[in-house]
Amino acid sequence: MKENNLPRPVSVRSPSNIAFIKYWGKRDPSSQWPANDSLSMTLSQASTITTARQTRLPNHEVYFSGQQLFETENFAKKVFAHLRFLAKEFGFQAKLRIETTNTFPASCGIASSASGFSALTMSALAAWTESKNFGDLASRGFAHEKLAYLCRLGSGSACRSVLGGFVQWVAGENPSLQHVKTLHPADHWPLSDLIVVVSSKKKSTSSSLGHQSAASSPFFAPRIAALPERLALVKDAIAAKNLDALGPWLEVEALEMHALMATSKPAATYLTSDSLHVITWLREARRSEGLPAYFTIDAGPNIHVICETSDSQRVAARISDRFPQFEILHDKIGNGPSFEEIIPTRSEQT
Ligand code: PMV
């Protein structure tokens, strides 16, 4: 059913993902070719829901949580540039109205660029091609590999959100050989991510700047050299569902990325004293009480506590007891993006 002969809006919900092996630094920014393979777990709760519709407007319109975004802001610049790139690349004429909301606080280390750019890319392409599901998109030339490639051009980590479960972004021998693949579906190993929100303030250094300066850190070259072996160990631990083999690498990866950030030129510090309190306590609780949980961190101060889902209530209760002042977002491994049902407004009903 159409209103004014314009196709129905489409809505895509795309999850965030939390990296176990981090993507930090690019070999080539123009093709978004990462310095290394990365590996993540797709989440099920922290998501961006984006509705896109064709319009007869002269320009794209973008709304974030009901507020119109204008191109003066850095974040909005990237969004408009991505829409224009997609339109130009595939010859789409119609301007879109984009309405987007997050189920979690944005830009504070809960990987909002991954869910945001994947939801934007998939919903915009679905609106332009009048697709109602992933089968329609694939039949119009936008199968998962193509979607991952296009999401990546908006934000690198967004390509991993196109798939569910444990996902590897393979850097490949040259930029055109990079791709994403599911290592295991979500039901292989139910893991939870308890996100301890020590701050929901917007971060002051964007990840784009961080990627640019990563190679200036003295820790960058040794990290790149160590990663192939580390990746293999992490993959083995996931295949064997062995948290005590995986967990120490999660912590090494998080702290190494933050060490790179803090020693690059220019340097950025995302961790706060609250972040350090939480991770110090978690390590102590693991040692003294056997609390079965490890941490990782994204580009922000918030702490992602990873544990088996069967232990998540107990682990969350211990964190809340110790840090009643911090909200905990309960998340877990998920199946990847989905098309959402849109309840038509009265004017859209025929
Ligand atoms: O996708 P970007 O360009 O916002 O990079 C973010 C990279 C990290 O989230 C910090 C790590 C990762 O691999 O997700």
Side-chain angles (χ1 to χ4, degrees):
M1 282 175 280
K2 300 176 174 195
E3 187 198 8
N4 300 330
N5 290 327
L6 287 170
R8 273 274 182 82
V10 281
S11 199
V12 173
R13 179 189 184 103
S14 191
S16 182
N17 65 74
I18 182 70
F20 288 178
I21 297 282
K22 307 293 182 184
Y23 151 55
W24 198 247
K26 307 181 192 190
R27 265 185 274 186
D28 170 36
S30 66
S31 58
Q32 292 277 61
W33 191 23
N36 57 273
D37 284 23
S38 55
L39 190 161
S40 57
M41 172 171 101
T42 297
L43 298 178
S44 64
Q45 300 303 310
S47 312
T48 299
I49 300 152
T50 300
T51 303
R53 71 187 79 210
Q54 294 193 27
T55 70
R56 297 205 175 82
L57 296 166
N59 293 307
H60 300 298
E61 273 187 0
V62 179
Y63 295 81
F64 180 65
S65 297
Q67 290 269 9
Q68 189 167 5
L69 295 185
F70 297 98
E71 276 199 79
T72 42
E73 230 199 297
N74 270 347
F75 168 67
K77 265 192 202 125
K78 278 185 73 178
V79 171
F80 281 95
H82 194 54
L83 286 173
R84 283 197 206 104
F85 159 76
L86 292 172
K88 186 156 179 246
E89 187 75 3
F90 301 104
F92 299 128
Q93 302 296 327
K95 302 297 181 209
L96 301 183
R97 179 184 163 104
I98 301 285
E99 289 161 274
T100 194
T101 57
N102 283 343
T103 63
F104 60 95
S107 300
C108 61
I110 312 178
S112 54
S113 64
S115 59
F117 275 96
S118 54
L120 176 70
T121 306
M122 293 186 276
S123 62
L125 292 171
W128 275 315
T129 59
E130 301 184 33
S131 296
K132 294 189 186 66
N133 51 48
F134 286 108
D136 289 350
L137 271 174
S139 69
R140 286 156 183 132
F142 299 101
H144 276 94
E145 310 84 72
K146 184 72 159 275
L147 292 176
Y149 159 72
L150 295 169
C151 291
R152 191 186 83 212
L153 297 179
S155 164
S157 56
C159 69
R160 296 186 312 238
S161 282
V162 168
L163 299 173
F166 298 94
V167 178
Q168 183 176 354
W169 174 9
V170 180
E173 292 305 306
N174 67 56
S176 61
L177 290 179
Q178 52 180 318
H179 60 278
V180 288
K181 61 180 183 188
T182 301
L183 296 172
H184 303 277
D187 61 5
H188 165 70
W189 190 19
L191 286 185
S192 284
D193 179 2
L194 304 170
I195 308 168
V196 186
V197 183
V198 303
S199 166
S200 52
K201 273 218 310 258
K202 208 169 173 334
K203 64 192 179 200
S204 53
T205 309
S206 74
S207 46
S208 313
L209 283 177
H211 287 295
Q212 272 170 37
S213 55
S216 66
S217 163
F219 299 126
F220 188 73
R223 165 175 173 71
I224 296 298
L227 274 177
E229 193 186 336
R230 189 180 299 171
L231 176 67
L233 293 170
V234 165
K235 285 169 80 166
D236 285 351
I238 293 172
K241 306 180 208 175
N242 183 342
L243 189 65
D244 290 326
L246 174 66
W249 290 118
L250 297 182
E251 300 191 351
V252 167
E253 270 296 297
L255 295 174
E256 189 171 273
M257 181 176 77
H258 280 268
L260 280 184
M261 292 161 164
T263 53
S264 300
K265 292 190 193 79
T269 311
Y270 297 99
L271 299 182
T272 65
S273 54
D274 285 333
S275 321
L276 298 178
H277 280 145
V278 174
I279 67 182
T280 310
W281 169 82
L282 184 72
R283 285 180 154 180
E284 180 50 29
R286 200 164 62 228
R287 197 190 60 75
S288 60
E289 314 165 16
L291 197 72
Y294 294 82
F295 67 85
T296 184
I297 320 171
D298 202 70
N302 297 317
I303 305 301
H304 294 247
V305 175
I306 306 293
C307 62
E308 297 201 349
T309 300
S310 51
D311 292 321
S312 66
Q313 292 304 330
R314 173 162 73 103
V315 173
R318 279 299 287 122
I319 303 171
S320 298
D321 274 357
R322 176 61 188 80
F323 298 104
Q325 69 275 39
F326 301 139
E327 187 189 359
I328 301 176
L329 307 176
H330 291 241
D331 217 325
K332 61 179 188 224
I333 193 162
N335 292 317
S338 55
F339 277 71
E340 296 282 288
E341 200 53 52
I342 298 184
I343 313 294
T345 60
R346 207 174 307 162
S347 65
E348 286 168 334
Q349 286 168 346
T350 54

